[in-house]
């Protein structure tokens, strides 16, 4: 398997294009086989005659969620088509950077396969809530399980897309709901061809022998054993290697389009308003589990699909456990409550942390630490795209140093320390996690993109400094022990290149938090 790190990362970005320009491709470039008026009418008729005829919401069946020109909430079909073309052209450009031969072959053609997620079961026939594979959704807009996308680009640069889907099955649909099937997939998703999933192996072989391409597939991320087996058989028979796709897709997903920016604004707004209500309604005697249910309910009531991850609802000393998710304790007076939660809307996630007093008023030690963390987070946000804050790693290093300095000022770090590295090390001891991660379709989005990548327009990421003082620590005054505080906001570098705090409406200023309870 060839290592993609042989070219510098800027070559990947240049190959894929830093900013998605959705108007730069002509319609003929997007689709070699155009959708005919008759095909569009057949899809419209299917929706009109049976409003549950397709396997996912549409503007006809769910006008409260999807606008007439959209394929899924907030995103048009043409944007998915453009993403597929950019991906394949970017891969071809990348390979050409190696000269006449790439991965041991002279071919300029490429074939890429990405599978959908499979339905998973918690026990017996009881399924978990289905969530689509993010990369597959990003390239198709398809929400059905057990599907496969096959993309090709030939030596002339023509991109073709085939979507393999479960066929229509009245008996299965009686139990599990409607399927789109290959029948309407071309019209709905804007691909050139749609076939039953059973024909994947045969079609893969035929197209491979026709093009003799390089083969791209993320073996470790595959959930469909039959798809994996088919690709391995091709590799064995043709003596070729599977090349990893994730780096290319994630570099595209890193930079949000205008449509994605709007979805991020919406999901962050939903979570922010839900947080404000939960904070205002918090009282001693409630359980952490009740607040878990409250944030879930309030997000869903604002049209979120579900929470983006199991939330942290940590009262008192539980907040010193960074990933505390038991959520079983009763809230006591004089305690702080740390909640880390977010929701998913239209396939995009928010991620917020707030810390507030259960009784509505901070104690003196709590106030000291909270004011310190609030000021620290403010300074880190102001540092974005400035010296010391041009990458997520730089933000982290600056955060550790600043935290060490502030702790020194309130007497939790020795006064004699002056070295930058020593103070940063002390800060890290009180906050042993990174201050930021990328955000988008996934909570920890684009994990293969290094955090030393320069921050640029279209990126979304968190800023989340924290402090966690175990109750058993003996090197700090007793009044500070057992306190955990984290403040987390979601930040977008918007269309104007400005730092936009997407969660700014979520209350965090100390006096405003105390006023919520009044």
């Amino acid at each position: 398997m060839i290592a993609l790190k042989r070219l510098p990362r800027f070559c990947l970005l240049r190959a894929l294009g830093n900013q998605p320009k959705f108007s730069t491709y002509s319609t003929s470039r997007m689709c070699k086989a155009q959708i005919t008026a008759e095909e569009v009418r057949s899809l419209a008729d299917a929706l009109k005659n049976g409003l549950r005829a397709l396997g996912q919401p549409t503007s006809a069946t769910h006008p409260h969620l999807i606008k007439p020109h959209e394929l899924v909430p907030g995103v048009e079909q043409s944007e998915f088509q453009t993403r597929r073309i950019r991906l394949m052209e970017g891969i071809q450009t990348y390979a050409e950077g190696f000269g006449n031969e790439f991965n041991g072959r002279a071919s300029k053609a490429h074939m890429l396969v990405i599978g959908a997620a499979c339905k998973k079961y918690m026990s017996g026939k009881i399924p978990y809530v289905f969530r689509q594979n993010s990369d597959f959704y990003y390239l198709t807009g398809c929400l059905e399980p057990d599907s496969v996308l096959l993309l090709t680009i030939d030596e002339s640069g023509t991109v073709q897309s085939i979507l393999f889907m479960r066929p229509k099955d009245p008996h299965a649909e009686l139990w599990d709901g409607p399927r789109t099937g290959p029948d309407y997939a071309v019209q709905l998703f804007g691909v050139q061809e749609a076939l039953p999933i059973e024909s994947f192996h045969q079609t893969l072989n035929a197209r491979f022998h026709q093009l003799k391409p390089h083969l791209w597939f993320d073996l470790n991320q595959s959930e469909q054993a039959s798809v994996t087996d088919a690709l391995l058989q091709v590799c064995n028979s043709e003596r070729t290697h599977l090349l990893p796709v994730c780096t290319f897709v994630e570099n595209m997903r890193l930079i949000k389009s205008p449509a994605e920016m709007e979805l991020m604004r919406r999901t962050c707004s939903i979570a922010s308003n839900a947080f404000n209500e939960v904070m205002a309604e918090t009282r001693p005697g409630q359980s952490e589990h009740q607040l878990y249910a409250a944030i879930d309910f309030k997000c869903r009531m604002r049209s979120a699909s579900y929470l983006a991850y199991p939330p942290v609802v940590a009262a008192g000393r539980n907040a010193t456990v960074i990933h505390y998710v038991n959520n079983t304790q009763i809230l006591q007076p004089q305690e702080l409550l740390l909640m880390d939660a977010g929701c998913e809307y239209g396939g995009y996630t928010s991620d917020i942390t707030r810390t507030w007093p259960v009784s509505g008023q901070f104690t003196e030690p709590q106030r000291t630490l909270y004011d310190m963390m609030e000021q620290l987070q403010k300074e880190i946000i102001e540092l974005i795209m400035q010296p010391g804050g041009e990458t997520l790693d730089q933000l982290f290093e600056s955060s550790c140093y600043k935290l060490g300095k502030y702790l020194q000022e309130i007497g939790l770090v020795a006064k004699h320390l002056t070295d930058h590295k020593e103070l940063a090390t002390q800060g890290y001891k009180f906050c042993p996690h990174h201050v930021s991660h990328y955000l988008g379709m996934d909570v920890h989005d684009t994990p293969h993109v290094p955090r030393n990548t320069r921050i640029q327009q279209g990126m979304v990421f968190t800023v989340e400094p924290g402090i966690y003082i175990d109750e058993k620590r003996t090197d700090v005054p007793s009044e500070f022990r057992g306190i955990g505080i984290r403040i987390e906001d979601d930040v977008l570098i918007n269309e104007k290149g400005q730092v936009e705090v997407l969660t700014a409406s979520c209350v965090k200023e100390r006096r405003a938090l105390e006023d919520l309870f009044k």
Side-chain angles (χ1 to χ4, degrees):
M1 185 176 290
I2 192 168
L4 295 184
K5 293 182 179 179
R6 286 174 58 190
L7 277 184
R9 187 175 177 279
F10 71 84
C11 294
L12 285 180
L13 290 172
R14 184 172 60 189
L16 293 169
N18 285 345
Q19 276 291 88
K21 305 292 186 183
F22 297 110
S23 60
T24 56
Y25 292 95
S26 67
T27 305
S28 60
R29 184 67 182 279
M30 284 184 180
C31 296
K32 182 179 179 182
Q34 293 299 297
I35 300 171
T36 66
E38 182 179 352
E39 288 174 323
V40 173
R41 281 194 296 272
S42 70
L43 178 59
D45 290 340
L47 293 171
K48 187 184 299 181
N49 296 330
L51 291 181
R52 294 180 58 80
L54 300 183
Q56 66 186 67
T58 67
S59 60
T61 61
H62 293 70
H64 57 293
L65 294 178
I66 303 173
K67 296 177 182 178
H69 59 284
E70 296 173 345
L71 170 57
V72 295
V75 187
E76 299 180 13
Q77 184 195 85
S78 60
E79 182 161 333
F80 290 102
Q81 293 173 313
T82 302
R83 290 171 183 174
R84 295 192 288 266
I85 289 175
R86 286 184 60 234
L87 174 61
M88 296 309 292
E89 290 183 340
I91 285 176
Q92 190 174 64
T93 300
Y94 175 82
E96 288 173 352
F98 289 87
N100 295 326
E101 190 171 288
F102 174 74
N103 195 35
R105 309 181 70 177
S107 175
K108 293 184 178 181
H110 298 265
M111 175 182 287
L112 181 149
V113 175
I114 291 183
C118 297
K119 187 182 290 187
K120 299 175 180 65
Y121 294 84
M122 62 178 72
S123 67
K125 296 182 179 181
I126 308 301
Y128 287 104
V129 173
F130 176 76
R131 187 186 187 278
Q132 187 59 281
N133 173 285
S134 295
D135 287 346
F136 181 83
Y137 180 68
Y138 180 79
L139 293 170
T140 65
C142 177
L143 291 169
E144 295 194 45
D146 304 318
S147 305
V148 178
L149 175 67
L150 188 150
L151 296 174
T152 61
I153 185 168
D154 62 20
E155 295 194 359
S156 67
T158 300
V159 177
Q160 293 286 331
S161 55
I162 307 176
L163 195 57
F164 297 86
M165 304 186 72
R166 302 170 303 173
K168 300 289 285 183
D169 182 336
H171 178 74
E173 293 178 65
L174 172 66
W175 290 92
D176 298 324
R179 299 177 178 181
T180 300
D183 313 63
Y184 300 112
V186 171
Q187 303 98 301
L188 184 61
F189 301 111
V191 293
Q192 277 75 46
E193 195 173 353
L195 298 170
I197 188 65
E198 290 79 8
S199 66
F200 172 74
H201 195 166
Q202 180 181 353
T203 306
L204 175 72
N205 280 319
R207 297 299 168 96
F208 190 92
H209 288 110
Q210 176 188 355
L211 290 173
K212 301 295 183 184
H214 302 285
L215 192 54
W216 299 81
F217 178 70
D218 287 320
L219 187 64
N220 294 334
Q221 298 180 22
S222 175
E223 294 186 15
Q224 301 181 49
S226 60
V227 173
T228 301
D229 291 343
L231 286 156
L232 290 176
Q233 287 181 33
V234 169
C235 288
N236 291 334
S237 62
E238 300 296 330
R239 295 184 179 181
T240 188
H241 299 286
L242 293 175
L243 299 165
V245 181
C246 60
T247 303
F248 293 92
V249 181
E250 289 186 12
N251 273 282
M252 290 176 62
R253 285 173 49 190
L254 179 68
I255 307 300
K256 307 298 187 285
S257 71
E260 290 179 292
M261 292 184 191
E262 284 303 313
L263 284 167
M264 289 302 304
R265 292 184 179 108
R266 179 66 187 277
T267 187
C268 289
S269 174
I270 290 171
S272 295
N273 290 325
F275 255 89
N276 289 341
E277 289 187 6
V278 171
M279 289 189 288
E281 296 169 7
T282 302
R283 298 291 183 271
Q286 295 174 325
S287 73
E288 295 166 341
H289 187 70
Q290 283 177 273
L291 298 188
Y292 177 160
I295 193 71
D296 189 11
F297 170 76
K298 293 176 186 298
C299 285
R300 289 177 190 254
M301 288 299 289
R302 291 175 168 84
S303 298
S305 299
Y306 31 67
L307 293 183
Y309 50 91
V312 174
V313 186
R317 62 185 181 184
N318 293 335
T320 64
V321 179
I322 297 171
H323 283 166
Y324 172 83
V325 293
N326 288 342
N327 304 332
T328 53
Q329 282 289 352
I330 300 296
L331 279 58
Q332 303 296 330
Q334 306 303 311
E335 287 185 333
L336 293 179
L337 188 287
L338 184 155
M339 177 181 285
D340 185 339
C343 64
E344 182 170 314
Y345 175 83
Y348 288 77
T349 62
S350 48
D351 184 4
I352 302 174
T353 305
R354 290 291 184 266
T355 309
W356 65 94
V358 169
S359 298
Q361 291 290 323
F362 289 88
T363 65
E364 190 59 36
Q366 292 168 354
R367 184 181 297 113
T368 298
L369 293 179
Y370 191 89
D371 287 349
M372 179 185 72
M373 296 310 299
E374 186 186 347
Q375 179 64 26
L376 172 61
Q377 199 225 20
K378 178 183 177 182
E379 291 180 7
I380 294 301
I381 291 175
E382 291 174 347
L383 200 59
I384 294 171
M385 302 178 74
Q386 305 299 321
E390 295 174 303
T391 69
L392 301 193
D393 278 346
Q394 286 184 18
L395 287 175
F396 173 56
E397 293 165 7
S398 297
S399 178
C400 288
Y401 171 71
K402 287 176 175 290
L403 179 57
K405 284 285 291 182
Y406 278 129
L407 289 170
Q408 192 176 54
E409 290 177 11
I410 65 174
L412 299 190
V413 168
K415 299 290 186 182
H416 70 274
L417 297 178
T418 57
D419 181 73
H420 186 286
K421 185 176 180 180
E422 288 180 330
L423 285 170
T425 299
Q426 290 299 316
Y428 181 72
K429 288 181 179 180
F430 284 85
C431 181
H433 62 71
H434 207 290
V435 78
S436 186
H437 59 78
Y438 302 115
L439 187 67
M441 300 184 78
D442 295 321
V443 178
H444 285 261
D445 206 46
T446 59
H448 295 91
V449 176
R451 292 194 233 201
N452 62 4
T453 302
R454 183 175 291 273
I455 294 171
Q456 57 184 292
Q457 183 178 334
M459 286 185 177
V460 181
F461 49 91
T462 65
V463 178
E464 50 180 303
I467 182 169
Y468 315 94
I469 305 176
D470 189 273
E471 62 179 344
K472 296 179 181 178
R473 290 190 68 157
T474 58
D475 58 340
V476 298
S478 59
E479 62 266 26
F480 293 113
R481 297 173 194 168
I483 296 178
I485 297 173
R486 182 164 66 252
I487 306 173
E488 177 181 20
D489 282 295
D490 303 336
V491 174
L492 161 70
I493 310 303
N494 66 21
E495 300 92 333
K496 298 179 181 180
Q498 300 168 333
V499 177
E500 179 180 342
V501 181
L502 299 174
T503 48
S505 62
C506 188
V507 175
K508 67 179 176 183
E509 197 273 329
R510 177 174 57 79
R511 291 182 180 84
L513 282 175
E514 292 177 333
D515 287 343
L516 277 178
F517 291 84
K518 298 177 182 178

